[in-house]
Amino acid sequence: MKQVTLIRGDGIGPEITEAVVKIIKAAGVEIDWDIQTAGADVIETEGVPLPERVINSVKNTGVALKSPVTTPIGKGFRSVNVQLRKDLDLYANLRPCYNLPNVKTRFDNVDIVVVRENTEDLYAGIERQVDKDTAESIKIITRKASLRIAEFAFDYAVKNNRKEVCIVTKANICKLSDGLFLECARDVAAKYPSINFREILVDNCCMQLVQNPNQFDVLLLPNLYGDIVSDLCAGLIGGLGIAQGANIGKNYAVFEPVHGSAPDIAGQDKANPTAMLMSAIEMLNYIGEKEAGEKIKKALFKTLEADIKTADLKGTATCSEFTNTIIDFLVD
Ligand code: NAI
């Protein structure tokens, strides 16, 4: 039986985790979950939000399904997510964004995959207070990290029958840092003649995305622009409740929804488990359970088509009702 680390998180984390585990079981996939807690609640008992045991578990299983965790503001703890990505060298953040059935959005047929470099740029955390009126953050871009994320994006495009990779930078202003990222992407693009390669500046990209998102296929971005643009893309397909994500490295992968712990609706059975479920479907593909993933996706789509939706999608179903309907469609 395949072992997978399950990080339950906090806020709505435990509710959506329970829903997804139930659905996977109903689909007939037997997983030996190594359940790990992390986040705000863990600080009280273990002193840190991401204890070493969580990292060790992922190192042991190789793959994790993670629900959101709260990062307390101003308490001196590094974000659990940033820490996990760093400790496990999860250098690629992958966010497929496509329309789901019966989820009304401004545009139809959006099908964009955002590939975000996950380890450096302004997220390297190199900041200093120069004097009381000046602060400084350093943007790090290296050839090694830029080449490997570009290779990831082009490999992904080939394996998933995508036609184009569009690289998004601000290389006209950040001439050295974004310039290096762009140079590396161009070098890698030259090795993939079957994939079209396009360059765009990030400001123009944002405008084009909200005017005509259907022109984009795979987007490749450094960390900060990737963070912002991937949320923009989540908005295009109906919001955080349905936006899936994955952090992938050479040896390990962590699949997680894009959204946070939603403390405003925690414990009320209101959360939409779709983003967590879509992330779990990608996790199932990753561990070789593609067929089960497809089966679950079909049941999810049937549920949405039957107009069973949670409040964030203007529906009236609770998280439990939504989950049970998916399970009913699974056995249909
Ligand atoms: P959030 O994503 O938790 O919530 C933003 C809004 O979207 C809220 O109104 C919330 O109710 C709604 N929402 C989010 N997910 C939903 C779902 N599945 N179903 C229905 N509604 C949903 O963002 P916020 O409030 O900025 O962050 C809350 C906490 O989450 C913070 O402590 C933050 O650090 C943490 N966070 C954790 C992430 C992770 O673990 N990957 C990612 C983003 C934030």
Side-chain angles (χ1 to χ4, degrees), residues 291-302:
E291 218 173 282
E294 284 304 315
K295 195 169 140 190
I296 294 172
K297 200 189 273 185
K298 266 195 201 134
L300 166 67
F301 285 11
K302 279 187 187 168

Side-chain angles (χ1 to χ4, degrees), residues 9-10 12 16 66-73 79-81 85 95 231 239-242 247 256-266 270-276 310-313:
D10 50 39
I12 58 168
I16 57 174
K66 173 182 166 294
S67 77
V69 294
T70 304
T71 298
I73 296 172
S79 149
V80 165
N81 304 306
R85 288 166 200 174
R95 292 200 189 169
D231 270 26
L240 288 172
I242 60 175
N247 297 291
E256 61 174 342
V258 167
H259 61 73
S261 54
D264 52 336
I265 56 165
K270 281 187 185 164
N272 185 353
T274 302
M276 180 80 170
T310 44
D312 58 311
L313 298 180

